[in-house]
Amino acid sequence: MSEQLKIKLSIANRVYPLTIAASQEEGLRIAAQKIDATVKKFEQSYSVQDKQDVLAMCALQFAAESEQTKINKNSLSNALEQRLVDLNQRLEQHLDADVL
């Protein structure tokens, strides 16, 4: 079982204590930094007074990026799969032609 760490992450000027697997620490710290940077960007760009609104905008942005990444990966996987099918057909045709 992996080692458990107790860490504190600061997001939007609030501290969140977490107990996590050691392997998650770097990813969580980077994610918290990205959220803080995005919060600051939204606060500077828009006249939003409520932190909850800013955090909702951040959540929407990150969720949209995640979904777009999934869509792009699926599209790439489908394209690669089709290329492999085409290549396999060409190889089979070539091998069949050599056998005759």
Side-chain angles (χ1 to χ4, degrees):
M1 183 171 248
S2 64
E3 177 187 347
Q4 295 288 301
L5 295 178
K6 291 185 180 197
I7 65 170
K8 293 180 181 178
L9 294 178
S10 176
I11 301 172
N13 297 324
R14 291 186 71 174
V15 176
Y16 296 90
L18 300 170
T19 302
I20 60 165
S23 61
Q24 295 177 305
E25 182 179 14
E26 182 180 7
L28 285 168
R29 291 197 185 278
I30 291 169
Q33 289 170 353
K34 285 183 178 181
I35 292 168
D36 268 344
T38 304
V39 164
K40 288 176 184 164
K41 181 181 80 175
F42 282 137
E43 286 176 335
Q44 291 170 354
S45 299
Y46 305 102
S47 60
V48 180
Q49 300 299 319
D50 190 355
K51 274 284 197 225
Q52 184 173 346
D53 291 338
V54 174
L55 290 169
M57 291 168 64
C58 288
L60 178 60
Q61 179 175 322
F62 290 127
E65 288 173 2
S66 175
E67 291 304 316
Q68 190 61 49
T69 298
K70 288 178 189 176
I71 290 167
N72 292 348
K73 281 184 180 180
N74 286 340
S75 178
L76 180 60
S77 292
N78 291 340
L80 287 174
E81 183 178 352
Q82 186 58 49
R83 288 184 72 186
L84 288 171
V85 167
D86 293 344
L87 182 59
N88 190 46
Q89 288 174 350
R90 290 176 68 189
L91 284 170
E92 286 178 358
Q93 289 171 357
H94 181 69
L95 290 173
D96 289 343
D98 282 347
V99 171
L100 297 175

